[in-house]
């Protein structure tokens, strides 16, 4: 059985909810990632911040990224998967919620992230096609 822990990218890092978006962008650059899980004061997942969120939700609106926090950008219910979950559960979670990145948790700690690139490296062409159809087809609303 292939698990979430087998396909995830290790070394994911939180951005605390109180950190500003400019700091988040710096951390994304340093880690060479496009998304960061947002943690509350107890290191619990409270959202995901993407580079697109920073650009579209802050900069494009004329806001200053040094004054807006990651926590202010957190919306909705954050999704995650246990490191021991089977890949089929990973795909079900990502398809069902139309998400492209999924934090991986083990013993209540962030241990990695699963992205599109991780799926492409580890799954069959049929699995990738099914995932892409579910995630992209439904989200393409005018």
């Amino acid at each position: 059985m292939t698990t979430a822990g087998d396909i995830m990218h290790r070394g994911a890092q939180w951005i605390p909810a109180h950190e500003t978006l400019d700091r988040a962008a710096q951390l994304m650059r340093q880690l060479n990632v496009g998304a960061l899980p947002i943690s509350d004061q107890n290191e619990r997942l409270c959202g995901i911040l993407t580079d697109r969120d920073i650009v579209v939700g802050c900069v494009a609106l004329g806001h200053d990224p040094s004054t807006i926090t990651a926590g202010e950008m957190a919306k909705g219910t954050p999704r995650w998967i246990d490191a021991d979950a089977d890949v089929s559960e990973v795909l079900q979670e990502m398809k069902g919620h139309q998400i492209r990145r999924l934090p991986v948790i083990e013993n209540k700690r962030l241990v990695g992230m699963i992205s599109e690139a991780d799926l492409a490296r580890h799954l069959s062409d049929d699995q990738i096609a099914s995932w892409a159809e579910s995630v992209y087809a439904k989200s393409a609303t005018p």
Side-chain angles (χ1 to χ4, degrees):
M1 167 176 96
T2 303
T3 66
D6 295 330
I7 68 168
M8 72 182 181
H9 174 82
R10 296 193 177 276
Q13 291 186 25
W14 299 109
I15 184 79
H18 68 271
E19 286 285 357
T20 59
L21 298 184
D22 63 340
R23 176 64 188 122
Q26 292 165 2
L27 187 56
M28 286 179 187
R29 180 177 177 215
Q30 176 188 340
L31 298 172
N32 194 30
V33 297
L36 294 169
I38 304 169
S39 70
D40 65 14
Q41 65 275 9
N42 298 315
E43 289 197 354
R44 296 191 56 147
L45 182 67
C46 64
I48 301 277
L49 178 68
T50 67
D51 47 7
R52 186 176 194 282
D53 293 333
I54 295 170
V55 172
V56 174
C58 178
V59 177
L61 297 174
H63 300 297
D64 181 355
S66 69
T67 63
I68 307 290
T69 66
E72 290 175 75
M73 299 298 289
K75 297 178 186 108
T77 302
R79 309 305 308 177
W80 57 273
I81 196 89
D82 190 88
D84 292 330
D86 185 75
V87 167
S88 63
E89 294 175 63
V90 171
L91 292 173
Q92 181 178 358
E93 185 71 16
M94 293 176 85
K95 286 178 180 181
H97 297 282
Q98 296 178 299
I99 54 178
R100 296 174 182 94
R101 296 172 180 101
L102 188 62
V104 180
I105 306 293
E106 186 174 57
N107 298 321
K108 299 184 181 181
R109 294 281 181 212
L110 177 70
V111 293
M113 287 280 281
I114 297 174
S115 69
E116 294 168 284
D118 298 313
L119 296 179
R121 276 192 294 276
H122 296 283
L123 303 180
S124 71
D125 289 345
D126 289 341
Q127 288 173 307
I128 294 296
S130 173
W131 175 84
E133 182 178 342
S134 296
V135 171
Y136 288 108
K138 293 178 185 176
S139 64
T141 56

